[in-house]
Amino acid sequence: MKPLKILILEDLPEDAGLVERTLRKEGILYIMSRVDTQAEFIASLRDFEPDVILSDHSLPQFNSAEALKICRRAGLQIPFILVTGTVSEEFAVSCLKMGADDYVLKANLTRLPSAITTALKKREEEKKRKVAEKTLRQQNEELIKINRELDHFVYSTSHNLRAPLMSVLGLLNIAQKDFSENETRYFLDYFRMMNESIGKLDETLKEIIDYSKNARIEILNEPINIRTLLTECFEKLNYLDSAGGMEMEINIQDKNSELIYSDSYRLTVIFTNVLSNAIKYRDSVKPKSIVHIDVVKDTSKIIVSVKDNGVGIHQQYLSHIFEMFYRANEKSNGAGLGLYIAKETIGNLGGAITVESTPLVGTTFKIEIPDYSAPSS
């Protein structure tokens, strides 16, 4: 059992001896340090780090009230017990109001061991209560945040799902009317617009699925060829209208850096969303649209920089682009979930993402992701 560290503020050695004898008689294991000046008291609080403070009230140049104030100003929640001669009831109540845990008369030291035990238990219970309150407060704050995001998510998602459906229904009604009037020359345009609307709906549904999976499925630790994964992500985006003629260059530090250990599904979600951003916001004025990807690997993580030469993002929008349903560009016709999901997914992996951008020059996303060690065989 660890001995109790007791700091006693007492100018009379014989009185301190009586306290020690009482504690030994009760079988309390302790280490005691005696001081009788303010300077010694402050130094012992720092160096001795007591578990309990026992203080006489009146010393030649110092008293218990001053000692108690020093403790509380320093933020120390150490049990403080007054051990003194005869005092008035008014004085005892005053000490307790100031923050003392108890007082014991020197004429009745037999009560001291139980007073110490009770004070220690009380402080431990207070500590546990404060930890529990802090935890509960954090959980409540997180719950409020989740509920707020959920409300926003449900409202915005329902709007994003309903809008393209209403558009499709409207186009179908027009097509049906024109068909009855034998005006078939508009059909191709109608079908194209319907296809675009259904495509938007499909994108929103896929983003919702990615968001849900990231929050619920277990993180995997599997070998991944990062060059292959990036290439596959880029090729999957060929269906985008802006993808034609877009080029991608991958520069990996060395051959050994191509193999990493992470979650391939989550990495696919991350890079697909970041690369689609580069494709959607390419600069059509420039003769060549290209995405440069640099991959650097160290012992604990990989750093992937995705740099495009697109239209860029204005500074006032940069701090918002990872927010749910945020659209920073008039070209955006998606749900505004892509970069939000990418950041959430990176966070779930224990990584980080940052962005730098200059309008009309381009945008660079820097993604740091832990490289998990190879699974043991």
Side-chain angles (χ1 to χ4, degrees), residues 149-150 152-165 199-217 265-266 269 273 324-325 327 334-342 344-345:
E149 288 186 349
L150 182 61
H152 184 43
F153 182 83
V154 169
Y155 173 80
S156 299
T157 302
S158 62
H159 178 270
N160 284 319
L161 292 176
R162 191 169 183 270
L165 284 175
K200 292 176 188 177
L201 177 60
D202 185 51
E203 283 298 309
T204 301
L205 288 171
K206 285 192 289 187
E207 287 175 340
I208 293 170
I209 291 169
D210 287 340
Y211 178 80
S212 177
K213 282 187 177 180
N214 178 55
R216 288 169 175 80
I217 65 173
Y265 170 75
R266 285 182 167 86
V269 169
N273 280 303
M324 186 184 289
F325 301 112
R327 299 181 179 95
L337 280 170
L339 291 179
Y340 171 81
I341 291 171
E344 288 288 304
T345 307

Side-chain angles (χ1 to χ4, degrees), residues 81-232:
I81 300 173
L82 193 64
V83 181
T84 188
T86 304
V87 293
S88 66
E89 185 175 341
E90 182 181 352
F91 174 77
V93 171
S94 174
C95 289
L96 294 175
K97 285 182 178 180
M98 288 174 60
D101 291 80
D102 205 344
Y103 71 95
V104 176
L105 299 178
K106 290 182 178 179
N108 186 25
L109 287 177
T110 54
R111 203 176 69 82
L112 181 59
S114 63
I116 291 174
T117 302
T118 301
L120 286 170
K121 286 182 180 179
K122 178 184 175 183
R123 291 291 176 179
E124 185 62 29
E125 288 172 359
E126 287 179 358
K127 183 178 178 181
K128 290 179 180 179
R129 178 179 57 79
K130 287 180 179 178
V131 170
E133 287 177 351
K134 182 180 179 181
T135 302
L136 182 60
R137 189 161 53 249
Q138 290 173 340
Q139 290 174 340
N140 284 338
E141 290 172 357
E142 184 65 22
L143 186 59
I144 290 170
K145 176 178 177 290
I146 291 171
N147 284 337
R148 189 183 301 118
E149 288 186 349
L150 182 61
D151 289 341
H152 184 43
F153 182 83
V154 169
Y155 173 80
S156 299
T157 302
S158 62
H159 178 270
N160 284 319
L161 292 176
R162 191 169 183 270
L165 284 175
M166 294 300 102
S167 178
V168 170
L169 288 175
L171 290 168
L172 285 172
N173 288 332
I174 294 172
Q176 186 178 19
K177 181 180 178 182
D178 284 350
F179 179 77
S180 64
E181 296 174 359
N182 202 28
E183 295 289 340
T184 60
R185 62 183 179 272
Y186 301 112
F187 282 3
L188 289 179
D189 284 339
Y190 293 155
F191 293 149
R192 177 184 56 78
M193 288 187 284
M194 283 188 283
N195 186 62
E196 288 176 357
S197 294
I198 294 171
K200 292 176 188 177
L201 177 60
D202 185 51
E203 283 298 309
T204 301
L205 288 171
K206 285 192 289 187
E207 287 175 340
I208 293 170
I209 291 169
D210 287 340
Y211 178 80
S212 177
K213 282 187 177 180
N214 178 55
R216 288 169 175 80
I217 65 173
E218 182 182 354
I219 295 175
L220 299 179
N221 176 12
E222 53 191 333
I224 301 166
N225 185 295
I226 189 66
R227 183 186 297 276
T228 301
L229 185 137
L230 287 166
T231 302
E232 290 175 350

Side-chain angles (χ1 to χ4, degrees), residues 50-51 53 71-80 99 101 119-120 123-124 126-127 130:
D51 300 312
I53 298 172
C71 286
R72 299 307 176 240
R73 278 201 302 267
L76 300 174
Q77 300 303 316
I78 306 166
F80 190 102
D101 291 80
L120 286 170
R123 291 291 176 179
E124 185 62 29
E126 287 179 358
K127 183 178 178 181
K130 287 180 179 178

